[in-house]
Amino acid sequence: MANSRGDRLSVKARALAAGLAAGLAALAAATVAAEEFPSKAVTIVVPFAPGPTDTVARIVARSMSASLGQPVLVENRPSVGGIVAPEAVKNSRPDGYTILIHHIGMATIPILYRKLRFDPLTDFEYIGLINEVPMTLVGSEKLPPNDVKELIRYVREHKDKVTFAHAGVGAASHLCGLLFMSFVEADVMSVPYKGTGPAMNDLLGGQVDLLCDQTISTTSQIRSGKVKVYGVTTLRRVASLPEIRTLDEQGLTNFDVAVWQALYAPKGTPRSVVRRLSSALQAAVRDPQVIHRFAELGATTYPPEMATPDALEVRLRSEIARWRPIIDKTGIYAD
Ligand code: ASP
């Protein structure tokens, strides 16, 4: 009797000890991961060709590298719509060494693509938000209209020949183009690229007529007069381009689309590693050089409390809720 009771007790005790040991091992592994991370270079994967998102990644990478004590590299995995890079990061080792930068597209891609091989809401750990950037609607120097009124008339009269460049269905430039078309009530020919960097090159060369892009790319072209500028895509003017009127001011009432950028890690990345990356991002958004550089390019750096996993999750969910009815109304899907 005493023996069997003793046996039962020792089975329980053994189970308890095993559970405790597993818990301690997990804790130790997480602590080691946190203490050791990063022991080599971290790579930020950019979903587009060199252009505005790439520029944001490089500015942030430089500052994060200083606080992580390891190089932070930038790798471009360009694709039309920016859908290849998230899938690649989703499938990479969840160890914090491969992370993703993406923009508002993380909220609109799952609505625009009904067959997608990643889910922004379940396949990633959130690191935090970086910044917010207005776009500007710009045109080739060769395009006859000089302001929005003339542009609307011109687009309606020449819809078979006007071309609108963008970075693919799901990209911010595409979203902005869609919004413009719905305001103007005309469909023009859309020309997809693997990023607005190459789209801007063709706009400068006169091969395409119109492009909506982040001020990060358009500011220098506007200042040097190499493109025609029709307006800012947010309700407020851009501090770095104060003379440029918003589209809303010019009669496209409530035209409001800004690009926000954020960092993600593959699902399953240890919590401690995500925290380390997130605090490096917080240091970056506090870095005066980063704030200054973004401001020169028309972008607003988010405060550190938004460079956090929670803030990014809230933003992602609210943006999906905002864009779903708008996109469903257009009935335009990528697949
Ligand atoms: N600005 C681009 C877009 O349309 C992306 C990029 O090339 O950075 O989403």
Side-chain angles (χ1 to χ4, degrees):
M1 223 22 213
N3 247 355
S4 85
R5 189 166 169 259
D7 281 347
R8 273 210 308 275
L9 270 181
S10 70
V11 167
K12 260 193 189 165
R14 273 205 300 274
L16 204 70
L20 207 66
L24 284 173
L27 197 69
T31 312
V32 168
E35 275 169 7
E36 283 180 356
F37 181 85
S39 58
K40 57 178 185 178
V42 170
T43 299
I44 302 180
V45 181
V46 177
F48 300 104
T53 308
D54 172 86
T55 302
V56 173
R58 287 174 199 279
I59 292 171
V60 162
R62 198 154 169 222
S63 180
M64 284 179 75
S65 158
S67 42
L68 290 171
Q70 289 290 345
V72 177
L73 312 173
V74 172
E75 185 189 313
N76 299 79
R77 293 289 298 265
S79 67
V80 170
I83 59 166
V84 167
E87 190 188 341
V89 172
K90 168 197 162 179
N91 292 330
S92 60
R93 275 174 73 113
D95 55 10
Y97 291 103
T98 308
I99 60 176
L100 172 74
I101 184 171
H102 215 306
H103 60 19
I104 186 172
M106 280 296 257
T108 54
I109 284 169
I111 310 168
L112 286 159
Y113 290 75
R114 287 164 296 184
K115 288 181 226 123
L116 201 58
R117 290 204 289 260
F118 67 90
D119 182 345
L121 289 173
T122 56
D123 291 331
F124 299 93
E125 307 290 344
Y126 306 121
I127 297 171
L129 289 156
I130 306 169
N131 65 10
E132 188 164 305
V133 197
M135 289 192 272
T136 45
L137 176 60
V138 293
S140 152
E141 253 188 314
K142 296 183 191 163
L143 203 64
N146 290 313
D147 59 32
V148 170
K149 259 203 194 106
E150 288 178 20
L151 178 65
I152 294 172
R153 201 175 323 123
Y154 184 84
V155 165
R156 284 181 180 150
E157 281 167 11
H158 301 88
K159 53 177 179 285
D160 296 335
K161 93 173 210 252
V162 175
T163 50
F164 204 116
H166 57 81
V169 177
S173 44
H174 176 254
L175 201 63
C176 183
L178 270 187
L179 220 56
F180 181 70
M181 294 312 145
S182 72
F183 269 92
V184 173
E185 293 171 345
D187 244 345
V188 301
M189 203 194 308
S190 91
V191 187
Y193 290 81
K194 291 183 178 179
T196 42
M200 176 61 89
N201 288 342
D202 275 6
L203 189 85
L204 293 170
Q207 287 93 328
V208 286
D209 298 321
L210 290 166
L211 170 68
C212 231
D213 201 12
Q214 301 172 41
T215 53
I216 289 177
S217 261
T218 59
T219 298
S220 61
Q221 312 298 357
I222 291 170
R223 289 231 177 91
S224 59
K226 290 196 182 131
V227 293
K228 283 195 174 173
V229 57
Y230 295 110
V232 171
T233 64
T234 46
L235 297 179
R236 259 190 292 151
R237 291 191 185 193
V238 190
S240 60
L241 294 165
E243 68 289 1
I244 315 288
R245 289 183 298 162
T246 66
L247 293 173
D248 171 75
E249 274 175 68
Q250 298 176 78
L252 302 187
T253 310
N254 287 329
F255 197 108
D256 187 20
V257 47
V259 180
W260 49 271
Q261 337 247 2
L263 292 182
Y264 305 78
K267 191 82 189 169
T269 304
R271 213 168 259 271
S272 53
V273 170
V274 173
R275 261 202 303 271
R276 184 88 179 83
L277 288 165
S278 190
S279 52
L281 177 61
Q282 286 153 27
V285 299
R286 246 188 260 119
D287 180 343
Q289 275 181 1
V290 169
I291 297 171
H292 177 70
R293 188 68 194 118
F294 281 153
E296 279 181 334
L297 298 171
T300 306
T301 310
Y302 283 130
E305 58 273 22
M306 289 180 75
T308 59
D310 287 353
L312 173 51
E313 183 171 3
V314 168
R315 171 62 61 91
L316 190 60
R317 288 185 187 278
S318 71
E319 285 281 276
I320 292 174
R322 175 186 172 203
W323 287 104
R324 188 177 294 283
I326 299 173
I327 292 169
D328 284 347
K329 206 170 139 204
T330 69
I332 294 173
Y333 299 101
D335 47 26

